[in-house]
């Protein structure tokens, strides 16, 4: 059984099955979320892609006080630090 992290019902769920992509519907978008494993600091890290085309959305890593989300936008990279999974969902255009 896979290990999952989830904030609320209907929100972002993060699998810890290494290198196994999972497509989730967030708002009006299908987003592919892949767990990369632990980074150099020993913190869990995920990468997010547009599921319809090879387009990087961002990098998510779990910090000690919340999540850090480096989001690629049309005006550059936006960094969200120490946020909840529900805030990540809002940053991705979800509810």
């Amino acid at each position: 059984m896979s290990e999952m992290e989830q904030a609320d019902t209907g929100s972002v769920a993060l699998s810890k099955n290494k290198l196994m992509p999972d497509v989730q519907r967030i708002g009006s978008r299908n987003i592919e979320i892949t767990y990369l494993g632990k980074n150099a600091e020993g913190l869990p890290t995920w990468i997010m892609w547009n599921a319809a085309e090879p387009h990087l959305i961002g990098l998510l890593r779990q910090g000690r006080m919340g999540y850090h989300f480096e989001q690629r936008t049309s005006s550059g990279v936006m960094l969200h630090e120490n946020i909840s999974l529900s805030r990540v969902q809002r940053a991705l255009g979800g509810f």
Side-chain angles (χ1 to χ4, degrees):
M1 183 153 253
S2 68
E3 184 178 347
M4 300 288 278
E5 293 186 27
Q6 191 167 348
D8 302 311
T9 303
S11 66
V12 178
L14 301 173
S15 172
K16 287 197 176 172
N17 288 329
K18 197 171 187 178
L19 302 176
M20 295 297 294
D22 178 43
V23 176
Q24 294 186 41
R25 184 88 172 162
I26 301 173
S28 62
R29 303 163 71 183
N30 286 325
I31 297 176
E32 181 180 298
I33 303 172
T34 304
Y35 177 60
L36 300 177
K38 294 188 177 186
N39 63 14
E41 298 171 350
L43 302 172
T45 304
W46 295 264
I47 194 162
M48 297 178 176
W49 294 90
N50 180 332
E53 57 187 65
H55 172 78
L56 177 67
I57 294 172
L59 182 74
L60 179 70
R61 61 189 166 92
Q62 186 175 10
R64 306 222 190 288
M65 301 286 290
Y67 291 86
H68 305 294
F69 182 41
E70 296 175 42
Q71 181 181 18
R72 184 174 172 251
T73 68
S74 59
S75 59
V77 175
M78 182 177 290
L79 178 61
H80 308 272
E81 295 185 294
N82 297 320
I83 62 175
S84 66
L85 281 178
S86 60
R87 177 64 186 101
V88 171
Q89 182 177 358
R90 285 193 304 274
L92 292 169
F95 306 112

